[in-house]
Amino acid sequence: MMDFKDQILQLAARAEKMLPQIQTEEATKNALIMPFIQIMGYDVFNPFEVNPEFIADIGIKKGEKVDYAIMKDGEPAILIECKHHLENLDPHNSQLFRYFHTTSAKFGLLSNGMVYRFYTDLVDKNKMDSTPFFEFKLSEIKDTEILELKKFHKSYFDVENITNTASELKYLNELKALLTREINAPSENFVAFFTKQVYPGAITAKVKEQFTPIIKKSFNQLISETISDRLKSALNQEKEKDEQEAVKIEENPESSLANIVTTDEELEGFLIVKSILRQFVDHRRIVYRDAQSYFAILLDDNNRKTICRLYLNNKKYLVVLDENKKEVKYEIQSIDEIFNYSEPLIDSIKRLEKKA
């Protein structure tokens, strides 16, 4: 079974393809938001867990409904309002903003299926904040965001724990956004602050004008150099690992290979992958290397160019490495199901060719 991260990434990939066919708010709920709630561990068909069209009365205005309420111990814990995937998410025009205070729910989620905004009441008690403390875009979700999102999963959901970190998360995200804006278009105060640290004279308008492009360039170079250093470090670590493995095999080649048996099933899987990818790359460049725990399919017989891996010993998995070299697992019942994952395999070969 896929882990939480893989499920979210799979939904993101599927969502992008489905968007042209999603014409209504109801379709957005069914195609994007209900699967998302399901991945979060809640049974969308059990009203004791997910209560659709939850009624939240507002003063004399009775019968106001929220699209979904995630229930905990018989009480709403998270209110969810859904919009069409092309609609702007404005909390001030949202029912969620109006009826947050009428229920015991501590969190509100406003989503159009692609953007997810989580709200609470950090500023005024029982009044939903106008800015989310946590927000992500499904198609661009980062590992750090997946870790934060996991806190809302049914298995880990703890109101006190999330509330304690919500304030820090809100200010962290706001500061990141502020720094991004300042780096891209430095404000006067930003320029003046850094100029004072290096320039001995008076900070005149002319000096600020002179230093604005210098400060912007400094930050951009710093970011580029940091990324470059990290990539070099990662490549060096991988190189050292490969060299250590090579030494082990050289020292005792028989013991390393003695237990490896390439099965007919593995060879069949190799041929399926080869047939999927031959229209994108010369089939002679696609080779395999068998190992004790998995069967690797490589480009150019290079273990740094892994197209995919097959795990066929117990449960069957097709594994593709993403752009960060993290494993994305797809459970398969039979070798023929590899054809269902042609797209991730094609993406893998395109990434490897692009890097080359």
Side-chain angles (χ1 to χ4, degrees):
M1 220 178 140
M2 286 190 291
D3 65 16
F4 179 72
K5 178 184 174 182
D6 292 338
Q7 288 179 304
I8 290 292
L9 293 177
Q10 190 180 68
L11 175 63
R14 205 166 67 237
E16 291 281 4
K17 294 179 202 164
M18 291 190 293
L19 288 183
Q21 300 302 317
I22 300 173
Q23 305 295 331
T24 65
E25 186 179 300
E26 199 61 34
T28 302
K29 290 183 197 176
N30 293 335
L32 301 176
I33 295 173
M34 282 177 68
F36 171 79
I37 295 171
Q38 197 94 35
I39 290 170
M40 298 304 293
Y42 302 100
D43 184 354
V44 293
F45 303 109
N46 180 356
F48 291 105
E49 283 193 17
V50 181
N51 194 329
E53 297 196 328
F54 180 77
I55 295 174
D57 292 334
I58 308 173
I60 59 169
K61 195 172 182 182
K62 303 295 182 183
E64 286 286 318
K65 293 176 182 177
V66 61
D67 291 306
Y68 300 103
I70 303 291
M71 309 298 288
K72 186 175 172 66
D73 302 324
E75 294 292 331
I78 308 171
L79 301 180
I80 304 175
E81 185 181 352
C82 310
K83 301 287 185 187
H84 184 268
H85 69 88
L86 294 176
E87 198 168 332
N88 179 41
L89 296 179
D90 185 350
H92 294 288
N93 296 329
S94 151
Q95 285 178 301
L96 195 63
F97 190 74
R98 296 199 301 274
Y99 50 49
F100 181 84
H101 70 282
T102 68
T103 73
S104 58
K106 187 67 180 172
F107 304 105
L109 169 58
L110 184 58
S111 177
N112 60 10
M114 296 304 292
V115 176
Y116 291 78
R117 293 180 178 173
F118 289 83
Y119 298 83
T120 189
D121 55 353
L122 294 173
V123 179
D124 293 318
K125 199 75 174 166
N126 298 323
K127 182 182 177 184
M128 194 178 91
D129 298 336
S130 59
T131 56
F133 69 89
F134 175 47
E135 176 180 355
F136 68 89
K137 188 174 182 182
L138 187 61
S139 57
E140 299 170 8
I141 192 165
K142 303 175 181 67
D143 286 354
T144 52
E145 292 169 336
I146 291 175
L147 287 173
E148 290 299 332
L149 179 61
K150 197 170 184 178
K151 293 177 184 176
F152 288 91
H153 191 281
K154 182 184 173 184
S155 304
Y156 309 101
F157 185 74
D158 182 282
V159 172
E160 191 175 343
N161 179 37
I162 299 172
T163 305
N164 289 341
T165 59
S167 180
E168 181 185 334
L169 192 60
K170 176 178 184 271
Y171 293 122
L172 177 69
N173 289 331
E174 287 180 0
L175 284 168
K176 279 163 64 179
L178 173 65
L179 286 169
T180 301
R181 287 196 303 272
E182 290 288 5
I183 289 167
N184 291 330
S187 66
E188 259 192 67
N189 289 338
F190 191 81
V191 171
F193 175 79
F194 284 99
T195 305
K196 281 177 188 175
Q197 319 300 316
V198 295
Y199 185 75
I203 311 299
T204 63
K206 189 175 180 181
V207 170
K208 286 180 192 173
E209 187 181 344
Q210 180 189 346
F211 269 87
T212 297
I214 297 172
I215 288 170
K216 184 176 178 179
K217 191 174 180 180
S218 299
F219 272 98
N220 287 329
Q221 281 189 5
L222 177 64
I223 292 165
S224 296
E225 287 166 8
T226 303
I227 292 170
S228 178
D229 289 345
R230 286 190 178 182
L231 283 172
K232 282 179 188 173
S233 175
L235 288 170
N236 287 337
Q237 286 174 8
E238 191 178 338
K239 187 179 177 184
E240 285 173 18
K241 188 178 175 184
D242 288 344
E243 286 170 353
Q244 287 168 3
E245 288 296 322
V247 168
K248 283 181 189 174
I249 291 170
E250 197 175 321
E251 287 173 351
N252 199 356
E254 288 184 10
S255 64
S256 301
L257 300 172
N259 297 324
I260 298 175
V261 178
T262 302
T263 65
D264 290 342
E265 192 176 39
E266 287 171 333
L267 290 173
E268 189 181 346
F270 169 64
L271 292 174
I272 290 172
V273 171
K274 208 169 181 180
S275 69
I276 291 168
L277 298 178
R278 66 185 304 149
Q279 59 184 308
F280 298 95
V281 68
D282 186 335
H283 69 94
R284 289 168 295 190
R285 294 176 63 197
I286 302 172
V287 301
Y288 70 82
R289 284 192 202 174
D290 205 353
Q292 287 187 30
S293 57
Y294 62 82
F295 181 85
I297 300 177
L298 312 172
L299 183 65
D300 299 329
D301 201 13
N302 186 335
N303 62 4
R304 289 202 191 92
K305 295 184 179 181
T306 300
I307 299 168
C308 67
R309 291 172 183 160
L310 299 177
Y311 291 81
L312 303 175
N313 293 334
N314 298 308
K315 273 191 174 181
K316 293 181 172 61
Y317 292 100
L318 166 70
V319 171
V320 179
L321 304 184
D322 67 13
E323 58 272 12
N324 299 314
K325 297 202 172 180
K326 297 270 181 73
E327 289 193 346
V328 180
K329 286 185 178 181
Y330 303 98
E331 188 174 349
I332 54 176
Q333 303 303 317
S334 71
I335 286 296
D336 286 340
E337 286 186 24
I338 293 173
F339 283 111
N340 297 340
Y341 301 101
S342 298
E343 191 160 335
L345 289 168
I346 292 165
D347 287 344
S348 178
I349 203 81
K350 283 181 177 176
R351 271 199 301 274
L352 292 172
E353 285 291 82
K354 190 176 178 183
K355 283 180 184 175

